[in-house]
Amino acid sequence: MPQILDPLPPEQSEHILCCYVNATNKIQVARICNISNWYFERVVFPGQRLVFEAPLEAQMEIHTGMMASAILSDTIACDRLAMSEPTSNEFHTDSIDMDTMKTQPTVQSINNQVENTTKPLTIAG
């Protein structure tokens, strides 16, 4: 469940659960400015996932931090950030047919060979 610090305005009856991920290596500020009587602004660190509720018509501005400033780098309609609610049949695992499951690993193995990478320090003199 998202943490709601600034509750949605009461006149906003239709809202959606959204998720934004900062996929950059810079600090960003996510801000929604087009909803009257509501203030939403959060700092999003690199790699961080921001989950929030917003009115359906909300527009999120992404400001990317630069040296002593920030620039507006993107504007995203919140309906494009909407998270889909899982259906009840996605939680049932009893009906999984074991014969149809993959038997091959989905991740290739990593070379685990350990090599000696340390060398003695030689002093020229």
Side-chain angles (χ1 to χ4, degrees), residues 45-106:
F45 291 96
Q48 184 179 9
R49 180 181 313 250
L50 175 66
V51 176
F52 60 97
E53 284 183 331
L56 191 59
E57 67 276 7
Q59 296 277 325
M60 174 167 275
E61 295 178 351
I62 303 297
H63 299 263
T64 303
M66 301 304 230
M67 198 79 142
S69 68
I71 59 165
L72 176 62
S73 55
D74 206 355
T75 301
I76 308 165
C78 287
D79 62 354
R80 294 191 58 213
L81 300 173
M83 296 175 62
S84 62
E85 298 278 335
T87 60
S88 61
N89 62 357
E90 288 179 315
F91 291 116
H92 296 296
T93 57
D94 326 355
S95 61
I96 294 176
D97 183 8
M98 295 305 279
D99 294 334
T100 61
M101 293 180 68
K102 288 184 178 180
T103 56
Q104 297 293 324
T106 56

Side-chain angles (χ1 to χ4, degrees), residues 4 7 20 22 24 37 43 48 52 65 68 83 87 96 100 109 115:
I4 305 297
Y20 173 76
N22 179 357
T24 71
N37 301 320
V43 174
Q48 184 179 9
F52 60 97
M83 296 175 62
T87 60
I96 294 176
T100 61
S109 63
E115 298 178 21

Side-chain angles (χ1 to χ4, degrees), residues 6 8 12 14-16 23 27 41 46 51-52 66 77 81 84 94 102 108-109 112 114-115 117-119:
D6 303 309
L8 293 169
Q12 298 293 328
E14 201 172 348
H15 60 275
I16 52 176
I27 293 176
E41 181 176 289
V51 176
F52 60 97
M66 301 304 230
L81 300 173
S84 62
D94 326 355
K102 288 184 178 180
Q108 295 179 358
S109 63
N112 292 332
V114 178
E115 298 178 21
T117 58
T118 59
K119 296 181 181 173

Side-chain angles (χ1 to χ4, degrees), residues 119-124:
K119 296 181 181 173
L121 179 64
T122 57
I123 301 176

